[in-house]
Amino acid sequence: MRFLVTGTINVPPYATLQGEGPRNSIIQMAAGSAASYVVQTSDSLQQTGANIGTNSATPPTSITIENMCFQSVDPMDIAFIDRASDCIFNQVQFVGPLTTADLTTSVDDTAAIRWDSTVSLVTKQVSWTNCTFSGFTYGTATDEQVQGITVMNCSFDTLYQGVYLGGATPVNGGPTGFRIMHNKFDNIYVEGVAINNVSLNATGYNIFYDVGNHFQGVTIPSSSIISID
């Protein structure tokens, strides 16, 4: 079943979204929507962004999303994990519209997963298992201070870059404790994993197929599979 939405779904603390499988429960953003995300975390008063936690509201915490698909037919970010803690995503697909041809000729700045934190409300302890990220510039990208994020047994496919952590000027030290383990990377234009100017992050036991080859096949490397700078 496909559910067409025209605005962002705000998920409050202690909420559970349970589908009937990624092929059977699809939430799709309508074409031409002005929404910034398909789904994002919110507090107990449905406040988002800078208002999270104000007016004595409970910040996003203990959210579980399982067995469903989030999709967009326009280039956009899908999920925004903002000031959230102790969340679980399992068997969730994130599907964007970009193809290998799109990613070769131009790079829209889109990501399946975006993050945000503040010094007082740090996004932490969020796990992603058995999830799929495809059709975006990045599977996930952040220079924000996030802590204790686990990405395990997931699939990254048809992306410009798989996981990008840090950057030129990471915010409040950037991501730490980000663990990227036992995942599959395929059809990635440049690096599967890139970690820049941040520390205490780990990647291991991943499988890389056509990665870093500019979609030209596995025998013509154009960039590193993993870059740690």
Side-chain angles (χ1 to χ4, degrees):
M1 183 175 294
R2 188 180 302 271
F3 302 90
L4 196 65
V5 297
T6 57
T8 303
I9 299 171
N10 295 333
V11 184
Y14 308 110
T16 295
L17 276 63
Q18 180 74 48
E20 296 181 346
R23 295 185 179 183
N24 295 321
S25 299
I26 301 170
I27 298 176
Q28 180 180 307
M29 181 61 69
S33 170
S36 298
Y37 311 98
V38 179
V39 61
Q40 67 179 352
T41 54
S42 67
D43 66 20
S44 56
L45 296 177
Q46 289 281 288
Q47 299 174 130
T48 61
N51 295 318
I52 285 179
T54 62
N55 302 309
S56 300
T58 302
T61 187
S62 303
I63 293 168
T64 299
I65 300 180
E66 295 184 302
N67 296 309
M68 59 177 55
C69 173
F70 295 96
Q71 185 174 20
S72 174
V73 296
D74 295 326
M76 66 180 297
D77 298 338
I78 295 288
F80 186 39
I81 312 304
D82 188 8
R83 306 169 213 207
S85 63
D86 301 304
C87 301
I88 295 172
F89 295 81
N90 181 49
Q91 291 280 7
V92 183
Q93 288 187 0
F94 300 87
V95 181
L98 300 184
T99 65
T100 55
D102 298 322
L103 296 166
T104 299
T105 57
S106 62
V107 180
D108 290 291
D109 186 14
T110 64
I113 311 298
R114 293 285 190 187
W115 309 80
D116 202 2
S117 292
T118 62
V119 173
S120 59
L121 288 174
V122 177
T123 293
K124 58 187 178 181
Q125 301 305 119
V126 181
S127 70
W128 307 82
T129 56
N130 305 306
C131 295
T132 299
F133 312 94
S134 64
F136 303 93
T137 311
Y138 309 101
T140 185
T142 188
D143 60 359
E144 291 288 333
Q145 179 190 18
V146 297
Q147 301 173 355
I149 311 302
T150 300
V151 182
M152 182 175 290
N153 295 329
C154 293
S155 174
F156 293 81
D157 199 320
T158 313
L159 305 163
Y160 178 79
Q161 206 162 36
V163 176
Y164 185 85
L165 303 180
T169 55
V171 180
N172 297 321
T176 58
F178 211 111
R179 291 156 292 187
I180 309 154
M181 313 292 289
H182 299 280
N183 303 288
K184 184 192 80 171
F185 294 81
D186 197 10
N187 299 306
I188 312 296
Y189 190 79
V190 286
E191 297 92 350
V193 178
I195 302 174
N196 294 308
N197 297 318
V198 290
S199 60
L200 300 177
N201 301 289
T203 175
Y205 304 102
N206 299 296
I207 297 296
F208 300 91
Y209 291 98
D210 187 357
V211 175
N213 302 302
H214 292 189
F215 308 133
Q216 297 297 312
V218 298
T219 61
I220 311 175
S222 299
S223 67
S224 301
I225 291 173
I226 300 172
S227 172
I228 300 176
D229 185 5

